[in-house]
Amino acid sequence: SQQGEEDPQALSIQEGENATMNCSYKTSINNLQWYRQNSGRGLVHLILIRSNEREKHSGRLRVTLDTSKKSSSLLITASRAADTASYFCATGQRVYNQGGKLIFGQGTELSVKP
Amino acid sequence: EAQVTQNPRYLITVTGKKLTVTCSQNMNHEYMSWYRQDPGLGLRQIYYSMNVEATDKGDVPEGYKVSRKEKRNFPLILESPSPNQTSLYFCASSGGRGLTDTQYFGPGTRLTVL
């Protein structure tokens, strides 16, 4: 089953503006993570928020998690052209008798124009 | 430098010609995974490994094999590649709490099967 569906699929903003991306999921999770991918390259971990946390900050990034609504948001403040990339949320699930699973959404393509 | 390396980065091959994509990590991580990324489908897990000699199927294992004889290496083997295996492949490793923890990705291998 698909978890971590991002919204919007694409977002275009001007440099200096804030960018907000949303992620919804369907089942209970252990944690939720956000990753960034520059075109055709490997994913880079941005931030992890555990299921018992509601908000987390890292530099210009702010992540919120609402487990009652099964949703998360990633806010990038004061965006820069270098923030142009695809952003993926991934939900971490514990799986019985396995180490667990990380399920990725399809991503939001963010374009920041100078 | 802590990293995950993959080789080759680009590969064009023909149907049926066996190939191996290597993956190596230098972080002493126990957990390793292989993903494929396709437009519109996001990242899907192919196989994962919880430790040496412990591998298991992910969501799309058909047509692939893996092995984990050493902790640092986790090669992906396509015994008889077909065009539907044309994709961008990523190896990832994680430590700490396992497969739901932060994952470190390799740079990717772009495979084309003619």
Side-chain angles (χ1 to χ4, degrees):
Chain A
S1 62
Q2 185 69 27
Q3 292 255 67
E5 298 181 4
E6 288 95 336
D7 169 60
Q9 289 187 320
L11 179 60
S12 182
I13 59 174
Q14 294 295 131
E15 214 167 23
E17 293 180 339
N18 295 341
T20 300
M21 288 159 267
N22 302 298
C23 172
S24 60
Y25 57 93
K26 293 176 182 162
T27 63
S28 61
I29 60 172
N30 187 46
N31 63 53
L32 188 143
Q33 305 176 34
W34 286 90
Y35 288 80
R36 167 196 168 122
Q37 183 182 32
N38 287 79
S39 181
R41 305 186 71 173
L43 279 75
V44 175
H45 179 259
L46 294 176
I47 198 163
L48 180 154
I49 185 165
R50 302 202 184 280
S51 59
N52 61 354
E53 297 176 310
R54 292 296 167 259
E55 188 169 313
K56 210 160 182 180
H57 297 254
S58 177
R60 293 184 295 114
L61 305 181
R62 173 179 168 246
V63 169
T64 61
L65 178 64
D66 187 335
T67 52
S68 66
K69 294 181 180 177
K70 292 186 168 58
S71 67
S72 173
S73 67
L74 170 67
L75 169 67
I76 304 174
T77 59
S79 63
R80 306 166 181 165
D83 293 328
T84 295
S86 293
Y87 292 82
F88 294 86
C89 73
T91 49
Q93 286 181 283
R94 287 289 175 198
V95 179
Y96 174 72
N97 215 29
Q98 299 176 12
K101 201 168 189 175
L102 201 59
I103 301 177
F104 288 83
Q106 295 186 24
T108 293
E109 282 191 32
L110 174 65
S111 174
V112 182
K113 299 181 179 177
Chain B
E1 180 190 353
Q3 61 182 347
V4 178
T5 57
Q6 293 178 229
N7 281 293
R9 295 288 314 282
Y10 302 91
L11 180 59
I12 300 174
T13 189
V14 294
T15 298
K17 186 176 181 183
K18 181 179 178 180
L19 65 93
T20 299
V21 184
T22 64
C23 172
S24 183
Q25 50 94 4
N26 62 2
M27 295 169 278
N28 202 36
H29 285 166
E30 290 185 354
Y31 306 92
M32 298 186 75
S33 297
W34 275 103
Y35 298 89
R36 61 178 288 174
Q37 185 178 29
D38 302 287
L41 296 175
L43 271 83
R44 294 177 292 169
Q45 190 181 54
I46 303 170
Y47 268 94
Y48 65 92
S49 170
M50 293 171 63
N51 212 327
V52 175
E53 301 293 0
T55 63
D56 212 338
K57 297 176 180 178
D59 296 318
V60 288
E62 294 78 21
Y64 304 94
K65 285 174 59 176
V66 293
S67 69
R68 187 93 182 272
K69 294 187 171 62
E70 306 164 283
K71 198 171 188 178
R72 62 182 294 128
N73 296 323
F74 190 43
L76 179 69
I77 302 154
L78 284 73
E79 293 269 1
S80 183
S82 62
N84 65 10
Q85 293 178 297
T86 292
S87 187
L88 181 57
Y89 291 87
F90 290 102
C91 179
S93 71
S94 58
R97 298 170 191 247
L99 289 166
T100 60
D101 210 346
T102 299
Q103 299 215 2
Y104 297 83
F105 282 80
T109 295
R110 189 169 291 280
L111 172 66
T112 301
V113 183
L114 302 174

